[in-house]
Amino acid sequence: MANCDHLFSKYNDEIRIGSKKNGRMMDSKNALRKRIRKWFKDNHPEYEPKFFIQGSYKMKTGIRTKDDICDLDDGIYFFRKPDVTGTTLQGWIWDAVNGYTDTDPEHRKKCIRSIFAGDYEIDHPVYYKIDGVPYRIAVKDAEFENSDPKEMVDWFNKKKDKEGRLIAQVMNFKGWCDHKRNKMPSGLAMTILASNAKSKIVLNERADITLRDILKEIKKALENKFECIVPAVPGDDLFASYDQTRKKNFMDALSDFILDADKALQEDNELAASKLWRKHLGDRFPLGEDKQQNQSQSRVNSAIITGAATSNPWGK
Amino acid sequence: MSADLSLFNREAALLVQEYPELEHVMIQGEIPFVHGQLLLKDEEGDLITEYSIRMEPGPDYPNWFPWVFETGGRIPINIDWHIFENKGNCCIASAPEEALICRKGITLTSFVRFQVIPYFFNQLHRERMGFFLNERSHGNLGHLEFFMEEFETKDVSIVIKLLNEARSRKEPKSNSRCICGSKRKYQKCHRSAVRKIAALTNMELDHYLKIANDFISDRKVPKEDSITNF
């Protein structure tokens, strides 16, 4: 019964955004903020942008993908009712940040993306807020939509534990989806699913056990109802657009991961267990030592096994 | 049926003498209970860990186990941890197993020693190793597993034969061949197991026979279990 908790710690360190990359990303964020402020001052002084870091960076669940890319969501807020469309407002941001990176910014549906090739991406979603009305996000070629990213961050902050176990698990799930690719769910979806699952279990001190427990709860929840509701305005179902193929792909991936996670927990050899985890988390998950971890050899574990020998718990 | 509260109180008084970390609480007009720390120790008496528990007579003590709750928040209220999700009490054994143990006679002290402590050791095993040392499947399949273990077979058709034997209330001659088909003498083969199972009522045996027959006929196990009182 190999305890791979220490390998998960190493894996988290491996996929975490390193301090150098983080420093570069913060410098870029500040430079882009400065550029956006200046652009509005020069071109539309009646619009004064305010900024709020949100998303995974704010929740501390950001990871480096296997291509060594990470991202940062830096929300731009205008505390007035715009007299232009959301697309125009986004276009102004595009104009403001254009030229800062080698590649042109991308005008995406709900943000302007600045691409720092091979390193990181900074997304600028644009919102306005007036009294008595929820936050509204600019959407390309559509009306503004209600959307409160702070609410999502607040929700996650209430869910997370002080030991950082949920954060570590969300990173593991994002690492899993990044390794699998093939239209696996977004990081936001995995954050929501894992956080919901957490309320059904008790987080174990061992990351390998907790990961398997969360996987099982996610599967149970999705078998009951295949949905992933954002716990913030506008309460979208992130799986609403999934077709049967994509749904099956994710459910199969979940089942496969659970099967191997169960095997890994029962595996005595640390190397063999780590290879099972690697199947799903990729080569960035470290290999364990080729040694047996026979739990019954310890006096305490031997006593636990003896004590539990006659127990056969059941459940309806 | 209702719980024998005076019996529970008498036994609780004895229980707390043996387990001084538990406290017996009686409040006028309320259901009595026992609560406190359940200590899990190794063979040399050294403490491994402790669980906070509360034990109530349940609806039908001593015909069924008392209800045990883990109150320290260490075990989630989740059926996969063998905690009933409707009331939050521990699922300690399958229904036929529980019925047979109770029919043989239990006291709170024997219940804690032989059922509760092993159950929490198993929970500790799950906490530390990630899986239970032994566990039954959920639902009626878990009942079948109990009978298969008792009759030392993985063949449900043999379980049916032996349940029918118990249901007949007639014992074959000791020198007869066992009805399981082993060619061994009945007294050396399944006699003691059948005698044990025969403590179940006809209604119970009919119920488990139906589960076993349904399993054989379409490999499906009925979800509803009308015999347990949980």
Side-chain angles (χ1 to χ4, degrees):
Chain A
M1 283 75 86
N3 178 348
C4 290
D5 182 69
H6 63 296
L7 299 179
F8 274 91
S9 294
K10 286 181 186 169
Y11 174 65
N12 282 160
D13 289 343
E14 177 62 27
I15 63 175
R16 185 171 287 121
I17 303 166
S19 60
K20 285 184 181 170
K21 186 187 277 284
N22 188 53
R24 287 196 301 277
M25 196 159 65
M26 284 296 108
D27 289 346
S28 298
K29 176 216 63 172
N30 291 333
L32 288 171
R33 281 186 176 186
K34 192 173 172 186
R35 203 175 167 100
I36 292 165
R37 281 196 194 97
K38 182 175 186 313
W39 189 93
F40 275 94
K41 194 173 178 184
D42 293 347
N43 296 281
H44 293 283
E46 70 279 20
Y47 285 81
E48 188 188 354
K50 302 285 184 189
F51 298 88
F52 176 78
I53 293 179
Q54 56 201 50
S56 62
Y57 191 91
K58 191 73 180 176
M59 295 187 276
K60 298 183 170 51
T61 58
I63 65 160
R64 284 186 316 114
T65 67
K66 58 186 175 185
D67 311 313
D68 196 22
I69 306 291
C70 58
D71 61 22
L72 169 71
D73 294 330
D74 198 21
I76 300 174
Y77 291 78
F78 295 102
F79 291 91
R80 55 157 292 170
K81 188 167 173 58
D83 48 15
V84 294
T85 66
T87 309
T88 300
L89 204 51
Q90 287 177 320
W92 289 349
I93 305 297
W94 191 95
D95 290 339
V97 299
N98 185 33
Y100 187 74
T101 52
D102 292 338
T103 50
D104 285 350
E106 287 180 2
H107 190 156
R108 298 170 73 87
K109 189 179 174 190
K110 289 189 179 177
C111 72
I112 301 299
R113 173 169 290 175
S114 297
I115 300 167
F116 297 78
D119 205 359
Y120 48 86
E121 296 161 354
I122 296 181
D123 288 345
H124 284 116
V126 189
Y127 303 83
Y128 80 85
K129 174 80 176 89
I130 54 175
D131 286 346
V133 177
Y135 286 90
R136 308 261 291 163
I137 187 170
V139 183
K140 187 181 180 183
D141 301 328
E143 298 290 320
F144 284 90
E145 288 178 6
N146 289 345
S147 176
D148 187 350
K150 289 181 183 175
E151 198 181 351
M152 172 67 206
V153 174
D154 290 345
W155 177 84
F156 182 74
N157 284 340
K158 282 179 191 158
K159 289 272 185 186
K160 73 184 184 188
D161 55 298
K162 61 180 186 298
E163 291 85 8
R165 290 178 190 150
L166 179 61
I167 287 175
Q169 292 301 337
V170 170
M171 290 172 68
N172 292 336
F173 287 119
K174 290 169 78 170
W176 171 47
C177 292
D178 174 54
H179 171 65
K180 291 278 172 191
R181 306 257 163 118
N182 192 25
K183 296 199 169 181
M184 288 286 274
S186 65
L188 176 61
M190 292 313 303
T191 305
I192 294 165
L193 294 176
S195 302
N196 286 337
K198 182 232 167 194
S199 60
K200 306 277 187 191
I201 64 169
V202 171
L203 299 177
N204 197 287
E205 284 179 11
R206 276 178 53 177
D208 49 357
I209 295 174
T210 294
L211 175 58
R212 190 280 317 271
D213 290 345
I214 292 180
L215 281 170
K216 285 192 171 178
E217 289 305 317
I218 290 175
K219 184 162 180 273
K220 270 161 68 177
L222 294 179
E223 282 172 345
N224 185 43
K225 194 168 188 185
F226 192 80
E227 65 177 17
C228 180
I229 306 295
V230 179
V233 172
D236 289 338
D237 176 7
L238 298 179
F239 290 169
S241 63
Y242 277 40
D243 59 18
Q244 280 304 312
T245 307
R246 194 171 182 192
K247 175 182 171 182
K248 184 176 182 308
N249 175 60
F250 181 45
M251 294 305 287
D252 287 349
L254 262 177
S255 298
D256 292 347
F257 201 176
I258 290 169
L259 204 63
D260 283 328
D262 276 334
K263 280 185 201 165
L265 292 178
Q266 303 225 18
E267 173 59 58
D268 282 338
N269 183 280
E270 188 181 294
L271 176 63
S274 68
K275 285 180 178 173
L276 287 162
W277 294 116
R278 260 193 175 206
K279 273 174 68 179
H280 302 273
L281 298 171
D283 292 347
R284 291 193 294 171
F285 190 85
L287 285 172
E289 284 184 57
D290 190 5
K291 66 176 183 188
Q292 300 297 111
Q293 281 191 5
N294 191 341
Q295 300 291 332
S296 62
Q297 283 171 356
S298 95
R299 188 181 134 207
V300 168
N301 287 339
S302 173
I304 294 170
I305 289 166
T306 305
T310 58
S311 165
N312 269 302
W314 171 74
K316 248 186 173 180
Chain B
M1 300 259 241
S2 61
D4 186 338
L5 300 186
S6 60
L7 176 70
F8 181 89
N9 282 327
R10 285 197 306 276
E11 292 183 352
L14 295 171
L15 176 75
V16 298
Q17 286 176 24
E18 190 158 335
Y19 297 93
E21 294 76 16
L22 296 174
E23 182 190 11
H24 177 203
V25 179
M26 286 186 291
I27 300 169
Q28 186 73 32
E30 292 185 17
I31 303 286
F33 62 92
V34 169
H35 74 153
Q37 298 306 108
L38 184 76
L39 309 187
L40 301 188
K41 297 176 179 175
D42 66 16
E43 286 164 351
E44 293 174 26
D46 293 333
L47 182 68
I48 299 173
T49 192
E50 56 190 276
Y51 284 89
S52 301
I53 65 161
R54 176 186 167 104
M55 192 159 57
E56 299 173 3
D60 196 11
Y61 181 77
N63 295 312
W64 292 95
F65 287 165
W67 286 355
V68 181
F69 301 85
E70 191 275 326
T71 55
R74 196 162 156 183
I75 306 172
I77 296 176
N78 186 321
I79 199 65
D80 288 341
W81 269 258
H82 299 290
I83 301 285
F84 288 114
E85 292 179 6
N86 54 349
K87 293 191 176 66
N89 54 322
C90 304
C91 328
I92 291 172
S94 65
E97 197 168 5
E98 181 174 339
L100 289 167
I101 292 166
C102 290
R103 223 143 287 174
K104 204 171 169 186
I106 61 166
T107 63
L108 280 187
T109 304
S110 69
F111 174 64
V112 167
R113 188 181 302 152
F114 298 118
Q115 306 300 328
V116 179
I117 288 177
Y119 172 87
F120 279 97
F121 264 116
N122 212 353
Q123 289 287 356
L124 185 60
H125 191 281
R126 205 268 183 218
E127 184 182 295
R128 296 218 178 164
M129 270 73 118
F131 54 94
F132 289 98
L133 182 66
N134 303 300
E135 62 180 324
R136 304 258 187 247
S137 298
H138 293 335
N140 289 330
L141 185 57
H143 301 336
L144 271 186
E145 287 168 1
F146 164 70
F147 289 116
M148 287 192 274
E149 188 180 292
E150 283 298 312
F151 295 139
E152 296 179 337
T153 180
K154 289 181 179 173
D155 186 341
V156 179
S157 65
I158 292 176
V159 170
I160 292 171
K161 282 182 187 172
L162 294 166
L163 285 176
N164 272 317
E165 184 63 28
R167 174 73 172 81
S168 75
R169 311 292 178 196
K170 290 176 194 163
E171 216 171 63
K173 287 179 183 169
S174 299
N175 288 331
S176 305
R177 292 283 165 92
C178 186
I179 51 166
C180 73
S182 68
K183 296 184 181 169
R184 294 173 67 202
K185 286 180 183 174
Y186 177 65
Q187 66 172 341
K188 302 272 185 191
C189 196
H190 279 105
R191 187 175 72 177
S192 63
V194 171
R195 280 182 178 175
K196 179 179 173 183
I197 299 303
L200 293 171
T201 64
N202 285 350
M203 194 178 103
E204 287 169 325
L205 287 166
D206 288 343
H207 177 74
Y208 296 125
L209 274 164
K210 181 176 184 317
I211 290 170
N213 279 309
D214 287 349
F215 184 83
I216 289 279
S217 60
D218 58 10
R219 313 296 294 176
K220 282 182 187 169
V221 180
K223 284 183 180 171
E224 293 303 317
D225 188 330
S226 57
I227 285 191
T228 61
N229 69 341
F230 303 110

